[in-house]
Amino acid sequence: MGRESSERPTYTILAIITLKKERILGGSQLALWAENEEQQKTMTQDIAKAMKADVVKMKNGDYLIIRV
Amino acid sequence: MKENIISTDHLIIIVTATIVGTMARALTIKEDFRQYPTYPNGYLIHLVTGFVAASLGAVAIPALMTKNFVAVTFLALAIQQFRDVRKAEKESLKDLENTESAYRGDAYIDGIAKTFEARNYFALIVSFTTALTIQLVDSKFISINIMSGTITGLIVLYVIKRFSKGKVLGDIADVKEGKIEVRESELFVDGIFVSNLLGTENAANMFQKEGLAVVIIPREEHFRIALDHYGQRQAALFEATRSVGVKRYHFTRKEYEKGKIVITLVPIIKDVNKLIEAVKKTPVLESVKKSHSVMDTNLFGRE
């Protein structure tokens, strides 16, 4: 990608919503633990709507909320 | 007292050349599909600066004819004024960056600003050649002087307009509709991965139902250099979002194997032909353009 990564837009990770407590290791973003998938989806959507942000579903099942 | 008043001949030269020069600027103000400059303030600003440029070109010949050589140095002032036009245009477009659906990007802004500066030179050159022609023809019939000056001015305008005309993406690449596919939360267009920002079901459904995509395919291998340029892709994305609007999401991605470029978005107006047309008509940026034939030259320095 080269220079592309330094061009706008810059992304900020606002939150991570996980199903496994041990994956919460810290960092500047909000890290939340959900009890089940349904709760995880709802939490993700609520935060994303409020923050007008985008959502990435990671292959390991965690959700990232990202703002451009 | 009367000796201090400008002569009729010179007055004709100045007035004719100023009118033809301003006309040249007016003819080059295009409110095309890019909707820029916006009517009516944009028009007024550029017509007035065009008029000033034309006036400067028009008075140069009478100034020389009256041996007023110092007065010709104001042409340097004109250059400064045109640079200010470029600067003002650049600043204004950069101020607008955060309010647009997609960024124009620095390369595109630079290109637009340069075009505006160049079009002021159009007015200056056209008015100057008009004035020069009237002076050279110097017929006793005023109408012949005016006609010859105007015709020469228009010919010069045609020539420099052709000279400064750039290429558009449609000249160097084919643009066709792309097939959108959402696999889980990942977006693919014609099998090319574009983004994984569709993490929610809503986003995936929206893109699947309402999304539009185009794929830009370079016609020659060397056109990939221009198409791969980040500023060029940003310009194409900007024009795409400008023409069909953005309801949500817009992405651009390049594919490395064949150099295809994907532009995809969820538009307000779902009209793929409009989107293709907008991308095709995106200018190839001056800062990106490279002359392929020059790269091939073998004049000196090689055995």
Side-chain angles (χ1 to χ4, degrees):
Chain A
M1 294 290 252
R3 244 175 62 78
E4 205 167 316
S5 59
S6 63
E7 293 276 355
R8 279 179 300 183
T10 50
Y11 292 87
T12 317
I13 300 177
L14 299 176
I16 175 166
I17 291 99
T18 182
L19 288 170
K20 291 192 174 176
K21 264 185 193 170
E22 59 271 22
R23 277 212 283 265
I24 300 176
L25 297 171
S28 60
Q29 83 290 346
L30 176 71
L32 296 173
W33 168 64
E35 283 176 348
N36 53 51
E37 264 186 52
E38 205 51 49
Q39 194 185 45
Q40 189 190 22
K41 271 186 193 171
T42 319
M43 284 163 78
T44 306
Q45 272 179 10
D46 286 348
I47 298 171
K49 274 181 193 165
M51 306 301 285
K52 292 185 178 172
D54 293 318
V55 176
V56 177
K57 188 181 181 190
M58 301 209 296
K59 294 263 191 308
N60 64 9
D62 291 350
Y63 282 90
L64 283 183
I65 300 174
I66 287 177
R67 174 179 279 159
V68 183
Chain B
M1 176 72 186
K2 228 181 172 184
E3 290 123 40
N4 292 333
I5 297 174
I6 192 166
S7 72
T8 317
D9 289 346
H10 286 164
L11 195 67
I12 288 166
I13 291 177
I14 293 169
V15 171
T16 314
T18 307
I19 291 172
V20 177
T22 312
M23 210 169 72
R25 183 67 191 100
L27 288 173
T28 49
I29 294 182
K30 282 189 285 184
E31 199 197 3
D32 57 5
F33 71 100
R34 281 187 287 273
Q35 295 289 299
Y36 191 83
T38 38
Y39 173 86
N41 289 326
Y43 267 124
L44 187 68
I45 293 166
H46 294 295
L47 271 179
V48 171
T49 50
F51 169 75
V52 174
S55 313
L56 290 169
V59 294
I61 296 294
L64 277 173
M65 295 310 291
T66 51
K67 292 182 181 167
N68 193 356
F69 300 116
V70 184
V72 183
T73 54
F74 58 66
L75 285 177
L77 209 130
I79 310 275
Q80 189 57 45
Q81 186 227 342
F82 301 153
R83 280 203 184 145
D84 287 345
V85 168
R86 188 212 297 201
K87 235 192 230 169
E89 207 54 52
K90 216 178 207 177
E91 276 170 20
S92 151
L93 290 175
K94 277 193 174 166
D95 287 346
L96 291 173
E97 280 285 75
N98 286 325
T99 64
E100 304 282 1
S101 309
Y103 295 118
R104 272 193 176 88
D106 291 342
Y108 196 20
I109 288 178
D110 186 63
I112 295 171
K114 269 184 193 156
T115 308
F116 275 99
E117 183 186 357
R119 285 184 185 164
N120 276 298
Y121 289 115
F122 280 21
L124 180 98
I125 295 167
V126 167
S127 69
F128 181 80
T129 45
T130 305
L132 187 67
T133 311
I134 295 174
Q135 186 62 49
L136 290 175
V137 171
D138 200 19
S139 162
K140 56 182 175 177
F141 299 107
I142 295 172
S143 55
I144 290 179
N145 288 338
I146 294 174
M147 283 291 281
S148 54
T150 308
I151 290 166
T152 314
L154 291 176
I155 292 170
V156 170
L157 173 67
Y158 176 75
V159 171
I160 51 177
K161 213 174 152 191
R162 282 288 305 261
F163 171 74
S164 71
K165 197 169 186 278
K167 279 194 159 47
V168 290
L169 279 188
D171 295 331
I172 65 165
D174 294 314
V175 183
K176 65 174 188 71
E177 187 180 0
K179 190 175 171 278
I180 291 175
E181 204 184 325
V182 182
R183 296 179 205 157
E184 293 180 24
S185 66
E186 293 179 344
L187 172 67
F188 290 82
V189 172
D190 279 4
I192 303 164
F193 171 79
V194 178
S195 175
N196 63 350
L197 275 181
L198 309 179
T200 58
E201 279 168 27
N202 278 349
N205 287 340
M206 183 191 251
F207 227 106
Q208 192 77 65
K209 275 185 199 157
E210 300 178 44
L212 279 185
V214 290
V215 183
I216 308 168
I217 307 152
R219 288 203 188 126
E220 302 277 346
E221 186 70 7
H222 63 268
F223 290 146
R224 283 179 66 173
I225 300 168
L227 287 173
D228 271 15
H229 189 275
Y230 183 70
Q232 183 63 64
R233 279 186 289 144
Q234 191 61 36
L237 178 66
F238 174 81
E239 291 305 342
T241 59
R242 240 323 163 65
S243 68
V244 289
V246 185
K247 193 180 271 180
R248 190 86 169 84
Y249 305 110
H250 53 75
F251 305 110
T252 163
R253 195 86 183 181
K254 74 176 167 194
E255 181 251 7
Y256 289 91
E257 210 175 302
K258 285 184 179 153
K260 290 180 192 169
I261 307 293
V262 174
I263 289 177
T264 181
L265 67 156
V266 180
I268 294 171
I269 303 162
K270 201 177 175 187
D271 184 345
V272 75
N273 292 326
K274 211 172 175 185
L275 180 65
I276 291 173
E277 201 57 25
V279 173
K280 270 187 178 172
K281 282 185 178 167
T282 305
V284 176
L285 305 180
E286 278 196 357
S287 55
V288 175
K289 242 189 304 187
K290 299 277 176 290
S291 172
H292 187 62
S293 53
V294 169
M295 309 282 271
D296 275 346
T297 49
N298 183 19
L299 297 174
F300 304 100
R302 256 197 287 168
E303 282 178 26

